[in-house]
Amino acid sequence: MLDAAGRSTVPTLSVVGSAAGLGAHAAPEGIPGRALVCFCEDVHADEIRAQVAAGYGDPELVKRRTGALTGPCQGKYCLQAFCAVLADAAGPEAVSGAPTTSRPPLRPIRLGDLVATDEAFDT
Amino acid sequence: MTLPATADVVVIGAGIAGLGAARELEARGVGRIVVVERDYPGAGATGRNVARIRRMQLTEELSRVAMACQDKYERMGGELRSNVLFYRLGYAWILYEQDEVERMRDVVAMHERLGIRSALLSADETLHHLPVFTGGDPVAGSVLSDDAIVHHDAVVWAHLDHLGSAVSVHPHTTVTSIEHDDSRVRAVVTDRGRIETPVVLNATDGWSTEINTMADVRMPNRPRRREVLVTAPLRRTIEAAVTFYRPAEGWFNQTLRGEVVMGAVDPDEPVGVNQRSSWSFLRRTAELMTRKAPALRDVTVIRQWAGMYDITPDHRPIVGPTSQLEGWWQAVGWSGRGMLLAPFLTELLAEHVVTGTAPEMLRSFLPDRFSATTQAEGDQADYYARYSSGAAASVD
């Protein structure tokens, strides 16, 4: 499924990040522009590249301008791909450290369920 | 981008206040404006609020200022040639106590005199317009207006994209000290170099005490955390941005993407910069909102975050020069109203910088209404007490 450079041999599939065996944020060459990065908010690789080209390459700004990482998964499915495309477009230093802030809750939770939690749990 | 060694004005902070001031100064012919920002543009309170642009205020003076502020937002998209997503979502104060309803009769009459479209609704009318409150704590009434929201990030980007060649913005640049002598400010020192300048504008809101201290300027504003949560999007069902003050202060509204943003205010939030998220906020907000609007039990929280309110003793911002240090200007202490007030008040500030005279509408916001010895006070727990006639009179 992958060639020696980590490129997908399946025409419709791109493999990025650690799945490509190239390290956390490394991207194989030639991520297609229409490669889907953020499933929740429907953000493609080209949209991220366009932000870098427009001078908005800071990960916090790419996130806010494209909506990537802001949907119900909060980046759990897409952060690797997001970083890979951004590193490809803006250089690896653009995604060094924690590129954006992780925040609670870990998973989406109903307001009603929060009210139902045991008072004793509230420390 | 290399940091310039000299400037005519150095602006500290690239939020709505700093960028608004930079734009207004440039429009008035001030050359070489350097904006330094510790993080990315909009990283402070500007990127963490929900950008309600409300004309209806509790006092006539604040309502007049807020009208000018909203007018400025209505024109902003055209002037900056960029969509800031100004949208008349509607705005409602939900009232739970009969004395709030009585107080609002006078407030609504004042709005009518000024030309603000607001109306006092009965309990039944409130539930008709805002069925989300059906089955919750019984409401006594509400005040509904045609006020607006904008998108805070779109406002920041509209400013960034519109700035001309006189302004340079330097993100990820931290101010480490301020050089001044007995009479005036001389230079701003950062971790990326020193900038000599005759004029500095502190536009750092929640961090302004730290920056003022570097210049040996003492002001009574102090930062306090405010927390927010956001839910997964749902179909548009809540027909206004709502706020309630009693018996507990809280608010919610839907964004243009359909998410519900909300917060229950912690009246005991301590002073200090703190942008961490708390479990107690999540619990407090879930309890308050599901009690008032039981339909919200089924919305799912996907994220919570926190930002800073920089609060002054009179809950009005500090905008202008100070007699404590020549060349030291401030646009801070926004007390939770920066998105609304900053574009217009920094226009007045820029006017003051270039003419040397404070425009009439800026007078009650000038820093010198406080002395260097004015004590920072505890926050007023009761919202209305902050805007009682006595409190307003003491600063006018």
PDB file of all heavy atoms in Angstrom, chain B residues 41-68:
ATOM      1  N   PRO B  41      -2.049  37.150  16.518  1.00  0.00           N
ATOM      2  CA  PRO B  41      -3.054  38.222  16.574  1.00  0.00           C
ATOM      3  C   PRO B  41      -4.422  37.672  17.007  1.00  0.00           C
ATOM      4  O   PRO B  41      -4.905  36.693  16.444  1.00  0.00           O
ATOM      5  CB  PRO B  41      -3.106  38.733  15.132  1.00  0.00           C
ATOM      6  CG  PRO B  41      -1.758  38.397  14.572  1.00  0.00           C
ATOM      7  CD  PRO B  41      -1.368  37.090  15.216  1.00  0.00           C
ATOM      8  N   GLY B  42      -4.994  38.299  18.030  1.00  0.00           N
ATOM      9  CA  GLY B  42      -6.292  37.847  18.536  1.00  0.00           C
ATOM     10  C   GLY B  42      -6.194  36.782  19.609  1.00  0.00           C
ATOM     11  O   GLY B  42      -7.207  36.187  19.995  1.00  0.00           O
ATOM     12  N   ALA B  43      -4.995  36.533  20.136  1.00  0.00           N
ATOM     13  CA  ALA B  43      -4.807  35.412  21.071  1.00  0.00           C
ATOM     14  C   ALA B  43      -5.390  35.667  22.460  1.00  0.00           C
ATOM     15  O   ALA B  43      -5.640  34.729  23.201  1.00  0.00           O
ATOM     16  CB  ALA B  43      -3.319  35.087  21.204  1.00  0.00           C
ATOM     17  N   GLY B  44      -5.610  36.922  22.813  1.00  0.00           N
ATOM     18  CA  GLY B  44      -6.128  37.232  24.155  1.00  0.00           C
ATOM     19  C   GLY B  44      -7.650  37.198  24.173  1.00  0.00           C
ATOM     20  O   GLY B  44      -8.275  36.331  23.555  1.00  0.00           O
ATOM     21  N   ALA B  45      -8.234  38.170  24.871  1.00  0.00           N
ATOM     22  CA  ALA B  45      -9.691  38.190  25.024  1.00  0.00           C
ATOM     23  C   ALA B  45     -10.411  38.311  23.678  1.00  0.00           C
ATOM     24  O   ALA B  45     -11.526  37.801  23.517  1.00  0.00           O
ATOM     25  CB  ALA B  45     -10.093  39.358  25.934  1.00  0.00           C
ATOM     26  N   THR B  46      -9.764  38.947  22.700  1.00  0.00           N
ATOM     27  CA  THR B  46     -10.406  39.155  21.402  1.00  0.00           C
ATOM     28  C   THR B  46     -10.791  37.837  20.733  1.00  0.00           C
ATOM     29  O   THR B  46     -11.850  37.734  20.116  1.00  0.00           O
ATOM     30  CB  THR B  46      -9.462  39.953  20.475  1.00  0.00           C
ATOM     31  OG1 THR B  46      -9.221  41.224  21.072  1.00  0.00           O
ATOM     32  CG2 THR B  46     -10.071  40.147  19.089  1.00  0.00           C
ATOM     33  N   GLY B  47      -9.950  36.818  20.852  1.00  0.00           N
ATOM     34  CA  GLY B  47     -10.244  35.539  20.208  1.00  0.00           C
ATOM     35  C   GLY B  47     -11.029  34.582  21.085  1.00  0.00           C
ATOM     36  O   GLY B  47     -11.280  33.448  20.691  1.00  0.00           O
ATOM     37  N   ARG B  48     -11.426  35.013  22.285  1.00  0.00           N
ATOM     38  CA  ARG B  48     -12.038  34.085  23.234  1.00  0.00           C
ATOM     39  C   ARG B  48     -13.437  34.493  23.645  1.00  0.00           C
ATOM     40  O   ARG B  48     -14.047  33.853  24.494  1.00  0.00           O
ATOM     41  CB  ARG B  48     -11.156  33.980  24.491  1.00  0.00           C
ATOM     42  CG  ARG B  48      -9.802  33.356  24.207  1.00  0.00           C
ATOM     43  CD  ARG B  48      -8.816  33.616  25.322  1.00  0.00           C
ATOM     44  NE  ARG B  48      -7.483  33.190  24.938  1.00  0.00           N
ATOM     45  CZ  ARG B  48      -6.990  31.967  25.145  1.00  0.00           C
ATOM     46  NH1 ARG B  48      -7.727  31.069  25.759  1.00  0.00           N
ATOM     47  NH2 ARG B  48      -5.793  31.644  24.749  1.00  0.00           N
ATOM     48  N   ASN B  49     -13.942  35.583  23.085  1.00  0.00           N
ATOM     49  CA  ASN B  49     -15.268  36.070  23.496  1.00  0.00           C
ATOM     50  C   ASN B  49     -16.295  35.672  22.453  1.00  0.00           C
ATOM     51  O   ASN B  49     -15.971  35.045  21.449  1.00  0.00           O
ATOM     52  CB  ASN B  49     -15.222  37.584  23.663  1.00  0.00           C
ATOM     53  CG  ASN B  49     -15.114  38.275  22.327  1.00  0.00           C
ATOM     54  OD1 ASN B  49     -16.110  38.657  21.725  1.00  0.00           O
ATOM     55  ND2 ASN B  49     -13.894  38.412  21.827  1.00  0.00           N
ATOM     56  N   VAL B  50     -17.565  36.052  22.677  1.00  0.00           N
ATOM     57  CA  VAL B  50     -18.615  35.658  21.737  1.00  0.00           C
ATOM     58  C   VAL B  50     -19.174  36.849  20.955  1.00  0.00           C
ATOM     59  O   VAL B  50     -20.184  36.722  20.273  1.00  0.00           O
ATOM     60  CB  VAL B  50     -19.739  34.864  22.428  1.00  0.00           C
ATOM     61  CG1 VAL B  50     -19.177  33.555  22.946  1.00  0.00           C
ATOM     62  CG2 VAL B  50     -20.376  35.650  23.556  1.00  0.00           C
ATOM     63  N   ALA B  51     -18.495  37.997  21.050  1.00  0.00           N
ATOM     64  CA  ALA B  51     -18.695  39.118  20.135  1.00  0.00           C
ATOM     65  C   ALA B  51     -20.141  39.573  19.988  1.00  0.00           C
ATOM     66  O   ALA B  51     -20.676  39.691  18.900  1.00  0.00           O
ATOM     67  CB  ALA B  51     -18.093  38.784  18.762  1.00  0.00           C
ATOM     68  N   ARG B  52     -20.783  39.833  21.120  1.00  0.00           N
ATOM     69  CA  ARG B  52     -22.125  40.414  21.088  1.00  0.00           C
ATOM     70  C   ARG B  52     -21.987  41.934  20.960  1.00  0.00           C
ATOM     71  O   ARG B  52     -21.214  42.549  21.703  1.00  0.00           O
ATOM     72  CB  ARG B  52     -22.859  40.065  22.372  1.00  0.00           C
ATOM     73  CG  ARG B  52     -23.176  38.585  22.467  1.00  0.00           C
ATOM     74  CD  ARG B  52     -23.610  38.250  23.865  1.00  0.00           C
ATOM     75  NE  ARG B  52     -24.316  36.977  23.910  1.00  0.00           N
ATOM     76  CZ  ARG B  52     -25.156  36.643  24.887  1.00  0.00           C
ATOM     77  NH1 ARG B  52     -25.401  37.482  25.872  1.00  0.00           N
ATOM     78  NH2 ARG B  52     -25.767  35.474  24.867  1.00  0.00           N
ATOM     79  N   ILE B  53     -22.703  42.513  20.017  1.00  0.00           N
ATOM     80  CA  ILE B  53     -22.587  43.949  19.760  1.00  0.00           C
ATOM     81  C   ILE B  53     -23.917  44.587  20.133  1.00  0.00           C
ATOM     82  O   ILE B  53     -24.826  44.714  19.318  1.00  0.00           O
ATOM     83  CB  ILE B  53     -22.205  44.199  18.279  1.00  0.00           C
ATOM     84  CG1 ILE B  53     -20.943  43.406  17.909  1.00  0.00           C
ATOM     85  CG2 ILE B  53     -21.995  45.692  18.020  1.00  0.00           C
ATOM     86  CD1 ILE B  53     -19.711  43.714  18.754  1.00  0.00           C
ATOM     87  N   ARG B  54     -24.030  44.966  21.388  1.00  0.00           N
ATOM     88  CA  ARG B  54     -25.309  45.352  21.990  1.00  0.00           C
ATOM     89  C   ARG B  54     -25.374  46.851  22.256  1.00  0.00           C
ATOM     90  O   ARG B  54     -24.536  47.407  22.952  1.00  0.00           O
ATOM     91  CB  ARG B  54     -25.459  44.570  23.308  1.00  0.00           C
ATOM     92  CG  ARG B  54     -26.407  45.148  24.309  1.00  0.00           C
ATOM     93  CD  ARG B  54     -26.816  44.146  25.352  1.00  0.00           C
ATOM     94  NE  ARG B  54     -25.780  43.796  26.311  1.00  0.00           N
ATOM     95  CZ  ARG B  54     -25.583  44.433  27.468  1.00  0.00           C
ATOM     96  NH1 ARG B  54     -26.307  45.495  27.781  1.00  0.00           N
ATOM     97  NH2 ARG B  54     -24.648  44.026  28.315  1.00  0.00           N
ATOM     98  N   ARG B  55     -26.424  47.494  21.666  1.00  0.00           N
ATOM     99  CA  ARG B  55     -26.651  48.910  21.934  1.00  0.00           C
ATOM    100  C   ARG B  55     -27.366  49.107  23.263  1.00  0.00           C
ATOM    101  O   ARG B  55     -27.162  50.079  23.962  1.00  0.00           O
ATOM    102  CB  ARG B  55     -27.522  49.541  20.838  1.00  0.00           C
ATOM    103  CG  ARG B  55     -26.830  49.745  19.521  1.00  0.00           C
ATOM    104  CD  ARG B  55     -27.839  50.178  18.495  1.00  0.00           C
ATOM    105  NE  ARG B  55     -28.930  49.189  18.435  1.00  0.00           N
ATOM    106  CZ  ARG B  55     -30.024  49.314  17.717  1.00  0.00           C
ATOM    107  NH1 ARG B  55     -30.221  50.381  16.999  1.00  0.00           N
ATOM    108  NH2 ARG B  55     -30.932  48.376  17.710  1.00  0.00           N
ATOM    109  N   MET B  56     -28.342  48.200  23.538  1.00  0.00           N
ATOM    110  CA  MET B  56     -29.148  48.445  24.736  1.00  0.00           C
ATOM    111  C   MET B  56     -28.293  48.234  25.981  1.00  0.00           C
ATOM    112  O   MET B  56     -27.741  47.172  26.213  1.00  0.00           O
ATOM    113  CB  MET B  56     -30.429  47.611  24.764  1.00  0.00           C
ATOM    114  CG  MET B  56     -30.308  46.126  24.833  1.00  0.00           C
ATOM    115  SD  MET B  56     -31.949  45.440  25.282  1.00  0.00           S
ATOM    116  CE  MET B  56     -31.520  43.752  25.663  1.00  0.00           C
ATOM    117  N   GLN B  57     -28.122  49.325  26.731  1.00  0.00           N
ATOM    118  CA  GLN B  57     -27.351  49.312  27.966  1.00  0.00           C
ATOM    119  C   GLN B  57     -28.253  49.844  29.070  1.00  0.00           C
ATOM    120  O   GLN B  57     -29.341  50.349  28.801  1.00  0.00           O
ATOM    121  CB  GLN B  57     -26.108  50.209  27.819  1.00  0.00           C
ATOM    122  CG  GLN B  57     -25.206  49.851  26.645  1.00  0.00           C
ATOM    123  CD  GLN B  57     -24.315  48.639  26.925  1.00  0.00           C
ATOM    124  OE1 GLN B  57     -23.997  48.345  28.072  1.00  0.00           O
ATOM    125  NE2 GLN B  57     -23.917  47.934  25.865  1.00  0.00           N
ATOM    126  N   LEU B  58     -27.793  49.733  30.305  1.00  0.00           N
ATOM    127  CA  LEU B  58     -28.648  50.134  31.431  1.00  0.00           C
ATOM    128  C   LEU B  58     -28.658  51.637  31.664  1.00  0.00           C
ATOM    129  O   LEU B  58     -29.576  52.159  32.279  1.00  0.00           O
ATOM    130  CB  LEU B  58     -28.207  49.416  32.713  1.00  0.00           C
ATOM    131  CG  LEU B  58     -28.524  47.915  32.764  1.00  0.00           C
ATOM    132  CD1 LEU B  58     -27.865  47.279  33.978  1.00  0.00           C
ATOM    133  CD2 LEU B  58     -30.025  47.665  32.783  1.00  0.00           C
ATOM    134  N   THR B  59     -27.607  52.345  31.192  1.00  0.00           N
ATOM    135  CA  THR B  59     -27.585  53.798  31.387  1.00  0.00           C
ATOM    136  C   THR B  59     -27.600  54.503  30.029  1.00  0.00           C
ATOM    137  O   THR B  59     -27.187  53.933  29.011  1.00  0.00           O
ATOM    138  CB  THR B  59     -26.330  54.267  32.157  1.00  0.00           C
ATOM    139  OG1 THR B  59     -25.185  54.075  31.316  1.00  0.00           O
ATOM    140  CG2 THR B  59     -26.152  53.491  33.454  1.00  0.00           C
ATOM    141  N   GLU B  60     -28.100  55.738  30.042  1.00  0.00           N
ATOM    142  CA  GLU B  60     -28.216  56.488  28.795  1.00  0.00           C
ATOM    143  C   GLU B  60     -26.844  56.771  28.186  1.00  0.00           C
ATOM    144  O   GLU B  60     -26.657  56.630  26.979  1.00  0.00           O
ATOM    145  CB  GLU B  60     -28.965  57.806  29.055  1.00  0.00           C
ATOM    146  CG  GLU B  60     -29.086  58.640  27.795  1.00  0.00           C
ATOM    147  CD  GLU B  60     -30.052  59.796  27.920  1.00  0.00           C
ATOM    148  OE1 GLU B  60     -30.948  59.746  28.797  1.00  0.00           O
ATOM    149  OE2 GLU B  60     -29.912  60.751  27.125  1.00  0.00           O
ATOM    150  N   GLU B  61     -25.895  57.131  29.025  1.00  0.00           N
ATOM    151  CA  GLU B  61     -24.573  57.469  28.499  1.00  0.00           C
ATOM    152  C   GLU B  61     -23.940  56.265  27.806  1.00  0.00           C
ATOM    153  O   GLU B  61     -23.423  56.379  26.694  1.00  0.00           O
ATOM    154  CB  GLU B  61     -23.661  57.978  29.632  1.00  0.00           C
ATOM    155  CG  GLU B  61     -22.372  58.580  29.099  1.00  0.00           C
ATOM    156  CD  GLU B  61     -21.139  58.031  29.760  1.00  0.00           C
ATOM    157  OE1 GLU B  61     -21.273  57.235  30.711  1.00  0.00           O
ATOM    158  OE2 GLU B  61     -20.035  58.384  29.305  1.00  0.00           O
ATOM    159  N   LEU B  62     -24.018  55.096  28.468  1.00  0.00           N
ATOM    160  CA  LEU B  62     -23.424  53.907  27.857  1.00  0.00           C
ATOM    161  C   LEU B  62     -24.196  53.488  26.600  1.00  0.00           C
ATOM    162  O   LEU B  62     -23.613  53.015  25.630  1.00  0.00           O
ATOM    163  CB  LEU B  62     -23.386  52.747  28.860  1.00  0.00           C
ATOM    164  CG  LEU B  62     -22.258  52.806  29.897  1.00  0.00           C
ATOM    165  CD1 LEU B  62     -22.386  51.649  30.893  1.00  0.00           C
ATOM    166  CD2 LEU B  62     -20.888  52.760  29.222  1.00  0.00           C
ATOM    167  N   SER B  63     -25.511  53.682  26.612  1.00  0.00           N
ATOM    168  CA  SER B  63     -26.303  53.341  25.421  1.00  0.00           C
ATOM    169  C   SER B  63     -25.904  54.219  24.237  1.00  0.00           C
ATOM    170  O   SER B  63     -25.790  53.733  23.108  1.00  0.00           O
ATOM    171  CB  SER B  63     -27.800  53.506  25.701  1.00  0.00           C
ATOM    172  OG  SER B  63     -28.236  52.539  26.637  1.00  0.00           O
ATOM    173  N   ARG B  64     -25.676  55.509  24.501  1.00  0.00           N
ATOM    174  CA  ARG B  64     -25.256  56.420  23.414  1.00  0.00           C
ATOM    175  C   ARG B  64     -23.914  55.984  22.822  1.00  0.00           C
ATOM    176  O   ARG B  64     -23.728  55.981  21.608  1.00  0.00           O
ATOM    177  CB  ARG B  64     -25.122  57.857  23.934  1.00  0.00           C
ATOM    178  CG  ARG B  64     -26.434  58.568  24.139  1.00  0.00           C
ATOM    179  CD  ARG B  64     -26.185  60.028  24.511  1.00  0.00           C
ATOM    180  NE  ARG B  64     -27.403  60.668  24.957  1.00  0.00           N
ATOM    181  CZ  ARG B  64     -28.355  61.124  24.137  1.00  0.00           C
ATOM    182  NH1 ARG B  64     -28.188  61.021  22.821  1.00  0.00           N
ATOM    183  NH2 ARG B  64     -29.436  61.684  24.613  1.00  0.00           N
ATOM    184  N   VAL B  65     -22.980  55.629  23.706  1.00  0.00           N
ATOM    185  CA  VAL B  65     -21.676  55.163  23.233  1.00  0.00           C
ATOM    186  C   VAL B  65     -21.854  53.865  22.444  1.00  0.00           C
ATOM    187  O   VAL B  65     -21.288  53.693  21.356  1.00  0.00           O
ATOM    188  CB  VAL B  65     -20.706  54.955  24.418  1.00  0.00           C
ATOM    189  CG1 VAL B  65     -19.412  54.298  23.955  1.00  0.00           C
ATOM    190  CG2 VAL B  65     -20.424  56.282  25.111  1.00  0.00           C
ATOM    191  N   ALA B  66     -22.669  52.953  22.978  1.00  0.00           N
ATOM    192  CA  ALA B  66     -22.861  51.648  22.334  1.00  0.00           C
ATOM    193  C   ALA B  66     -23.525  51.794  20.970  1.00  0.00           C
ATOM    194  O   ALA B  66     -23.252  51.023  20.043  1.00  0.00           O
ATOM    195  CB  ALA B  66     -23.691  50.730  23.235  1.00  0.00           C
ATOM    196  N   MET B  67     -24.401  52.802  20.818  1.00  0.00           N
ATOM    197  CA  MET B  67     -25.025  53.042  19.505  1.00  0.00           C
ATOM    198  C   MET B  67     -23.956  53.407  18.479  1.00  0.00           C
ATOM    199  O   MET B  67     -23.953  52.898  17.351  1.00  0.00           O
ATOM    200  CB  MET B  67     -26.068  54.166  19.615  1.00  0.00           C
ATOM    201  CG  MET B  67     -27.317  53.752  20.365  1.00  0.00           C
ATOM    202  SD  MET B  67     -28.394  55.165  20.713  1.00  0.00           S
ATOM    203  CE  MET B  67     -29.156  55.411  19.106  1.00  0.00           C
ATOM    204  N   ALA B  68     -23.046  54.291  18.881  1.00  0.00           N
ATOM    205  CA  ALA B  68     -21.959  54.676  17.967  1.00  0.00           C
ATOM    206  C   ALA B  68     -21.080  53.470  17.649  1.00  0.00           C
ATOM    207  O   ALA B  68     -20.596  53.312  16.522  1.00  0.00           O
ATOM    208  CB  ALA B  68     -21.131  55.808  18.590  1.00  0.00           C
TER     209      ALA B  68
END
